[in-house]
């Protein structure tokens, strides 16, 4: 699967533009404020139907415009396809595949997976555990699409148990009614924990290797940190039962996989608390590269990786190491930079170049 072109209309700073995406590495370069990050966001929006930068999607519509439209054209083993997303604030999104409406692009087989590195995504390393849980569940879905059932079933059962806790607190139900929900919740919870542990286990060695290659010393590791120690539904149900008093006092379920975390560490210390911002950036980059590698091993094509301003805080050797990693693996990568000389090989025609300024394409050059 390969993305061929991206077309933006009234998206952020772009009124109307169509750009080609190189087969391997594409470098988008230009001064600050030129629209480089907006281009990456537009590609993500066209592939997923949502923004990777904001939850207020009114922001993606260009000032003065009423609607925005993004089209991603791609080639797969069975031909070419167009993914399109139209958005008007206050109205449902209009998403289509080859002109046929779909409810969610995320469920479409003819859709490239996308991985994003942006400065704002440092929250994945230093932010709240919920951010890491959500990301980990996305990785599970990318590796094994059918296993998303466990996460949805767990979320539904958790909502039902919390509603029952509220009824017990209000005197409209008895504590005895919890046991059936505990076992149901535990069954889905154990399945979810196993999926998360398997995903982290698959990426752990690659993460350590990439992190070391990029200069994050100190034996960096990632580790799945489940809240529960249970290995069977019965054991997790027993843990829930022993915590009922606390759950009733707070009004919600305080124990289970919805409290899990993903640990990043080096020299035995959590990067969330003890890592510099530079170290956290390297850990995030290593994680995305590791996930891309394991996904490529089980899916028809690896995720397209979008790297926003990743070169600015890497020295020359680390930049070259990153480019070599991207070039060695199959798939497409798009890198933004203010200085094309920061990307090794860019001056020798080894990457596709896209120069932009103030929302306009100034120059396109395909890799030799």
């Amino acid at each position: 699967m390969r993305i061929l072109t991206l077309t933006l209309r009234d998206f952020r700073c772009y009124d109307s533009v169509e750009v080609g995406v190189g087969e391997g590495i594409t470098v988008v370069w230009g001064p600050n404020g030129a629209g480089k990050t907006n281009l990456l966001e537009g590609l993500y929006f066209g592939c997923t139907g949502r923004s990777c930068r904001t939850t207020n999607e009114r922001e993606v519509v260009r000032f003065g415009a009423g609607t925005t439209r993004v089209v991603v054209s791609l080639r797969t083993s069975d031909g070419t396809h167009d993914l399109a997303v139209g958005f008007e604030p206050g109205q449902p999104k209009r998403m289509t595949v080859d002109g046929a409406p779909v409810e969610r692009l995320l469920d479409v087989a003819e859709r490239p997976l996308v991985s994003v590195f942006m400065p704002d995504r440092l929250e994945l390393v230093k932010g709240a555990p919920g951010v890491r849980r959500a990301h980990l569940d996305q990785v599970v879905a990318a590796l094994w699409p059918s296993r998303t059932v466990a996460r949805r079933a767990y979320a539904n059962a958790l909502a039902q148990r919390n509603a029952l806790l509220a009824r017990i607190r209000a005197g409209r139900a008895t504590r005895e009614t919890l046991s059936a929900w505990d076992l149901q919740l535990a069954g889905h919870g154990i399945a979810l924990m196993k999926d998360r542990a398997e995903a982290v286990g698959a990426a752990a060695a690659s993460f350590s290797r990439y992190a070391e290659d990029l200069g994050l010393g100190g034996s960096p590791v990632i580790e799945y940190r489940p809240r529960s120690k249970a290995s069977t539904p019965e054991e997790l149900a027993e843990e829930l039962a022993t915590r009922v008093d606390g759950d009733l006092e707070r009004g919600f379920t305080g124990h289970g996989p919805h409290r899990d975390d993903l640990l990043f560490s080096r020299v035995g210390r959590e990067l969330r608390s003890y890592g510099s911002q530079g170290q956290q950036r390297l850990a995030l980059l290593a994680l995305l590269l590791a996930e891309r590698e394991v996904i490529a091993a089980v899916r028809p094509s690896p995720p397209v990786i979008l790297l926003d301003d990743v070169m600015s805080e890497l020295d020359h050797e680390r930049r070259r190491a990153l480019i070599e990693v991207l070039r060695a693996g199959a798939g497409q990568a798009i890198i933004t930079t203010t200085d094309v000389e920061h990307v090794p090989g860019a001056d020798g025609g080894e990457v596709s170049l896209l120069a932009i300024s103030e929302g306009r394409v100034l120059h396109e050059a395909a890799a030799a």
Side-chain angles (χ1 to χ4, degrees):
M1 184 179 294
R2 178 194 164 191
I3 295 175
L4 302 174
T5 62
L6 168 68
T7 304
L8 303 175
R9 180 173 297 175
D10 292 324
F11 188 92
R12 292 285 189 178
C13 64
Y14 294 94
D15 53 2
S16 181
V17 67
E18 179 179 322
V19 297
V21 180
E23 186 172 356
I25 300 172
T26 298
V27 176
V28 181
W29 66 286
N32 290 325
K36 301 184 298 295
T37 303
N38 293 344
L39 200 70
L40 297 192
E41 181 186 17
L43 183 56
Y44 188 91
F45 194 79
C47 290
T48 67
R50 62 192 186 192
S51 170
C52 55
R53 297 170 66 192
T54 180
T55 56
N56 180 13
E57 292 183 336
R58 293 174 179 269
E59 298 173 7
V60 307
V61 181
R62 187 174 63 87
F63 286 122
T67 63
T68 187
R69 178 174 169 82
V70 177
V71 180
V72 176
S73 297
L74 50 95
R75 184 172 63 232
T76 68
S77 59
D78 64 351
T80 58
H81 301 278
D82 286 341
L83 311 180
V85 182
F87 174 62
E88 178 181 353
Q91 300 296 323
K93 290 195 190 83
R94 301 176 300 280
M95 294 175 281
T96 63
V97 179
D98 297 332
V102 295
E103 289 189 7
R104 288 180 9 125
L105 283 178
L106 297 180
D107 298 328
V108 173
E110 301 88 355
R111 180 188 76 86
L113 301 177
V114 186
S115 180
V116 184
F117 175 96
M118 288 182 173
D120 290 348
R121 294 210 74 197
L122 280 183
E123 286 300 302
L124 187 55
V125 178
K126 66 181 183 180
V131 178
R132 290 182 287 278
R133 283 195 299 272
H135 178 81
L136 183 52
D137 288 340
Q138 289 173 356
V139 175
V140 170
L143 287 168
W144 311 290
S146 63
R147 299 194 192 182
T148 58
V149 173
R151 178 180 60 81
R152 294 173 185 171
Y154 180 82
N156 290 335
L158 180 63
Q160 294 286 347
R161 188 179 192 270
N162 286 341
L164 181 56
L165 288 171
R167 292 199 296 274
I168 295 171
R169 281 163 55 94
R172 299 196 300 270
T174 63
R175 293 169 60 120
E176 288 71 21
T177 56
L178 274 172
S179 59
W181 278 110
D182 285 354
L183 191 57
Q184 182 174 339
L185 181 68
H188 299 312
I190 291 296
L192 181 58
M193 290 165 58
K194 288 181 178 178
D195 290 343
R196 289 172 173 174
E198 187 175 351
V200 175
S206 297
F207 169 83
S208 297
R209 184 179 74 253
Y210 284 128
E212 292 279 4
D213 289 346
L214 293 170
L216 182 62
S219 302
V221 298
I222 52 171
E223 178 185 354
Y224 175 48
R225 185 67 62 83
R227 174 59 65 96
S228 170
K229 298 184 181 300
S231 58
T232 67
E234 291 75 17
E235 291 175 355
L236 180 52
E238 179 62 26
E239 291 178 353
L240 292 169
T242 61
R243 293 168 170 80
V244 170
D245 289 342
D247 289 347
L248 288 171
E249 183 176 348
R250 68 176 66 92
F252 59 86
T253 306
H255 182 73
H258 59 289
R259 305 298 296 275
D260 290 352
D261 204 351
L262 177 66
L263 175 70
F264 296 80
S265 65
R266 59 178 295 276
V267 295
R269 295 181 178 179
E270 285 194 56
L271 283 171
R272 177 186 179 187
S273 301
Y274 297 101
S276 68
Q277 182 158 301
Q279 291 170 333
Q280 292 168 347
R281 283 171 63 93
L282 292 176
L284 173 58
L285 182 55
L287 177 69
L288 298 180
L289 292 172
E291 291 170 350
R292 188 174 190 244
E293 181 178 292
V294 298
I295 290 171
V298 298
R299 297 293 294 266
S301 58
V304 177
I305 189 165
L306 310 180
L307 302 173
D308 188 36
D309 194 30
V310 70
M311 296 296 184
S312 61
E313 294 192 23
L314 298 178
D315 61 29
H316 179 74
E317 290 304 315
R318 306 310 173 199
R319 292 170 184 165
R320 181 161 294 281
L322 174 58
I323 292 298
E324 289 176 355
V325 165
L326 295 175
R327 188 174 288 123
Q332 294 171 285
I334 305 176
I335 303 171
T336 69
T337 182
T338 57
D339 189 344
V340 72
E341 293 183 358
H342 286 172
V343 183
D347 57 353
E350 299 175 28
V351 303
S352 298
L353 291 176
L354 182 61
I356 63 174
S357 178
E358 298 180 349
R360 294 180 297 111
V361 177
L362 302 181
H363 175 69
E364 286 190 71

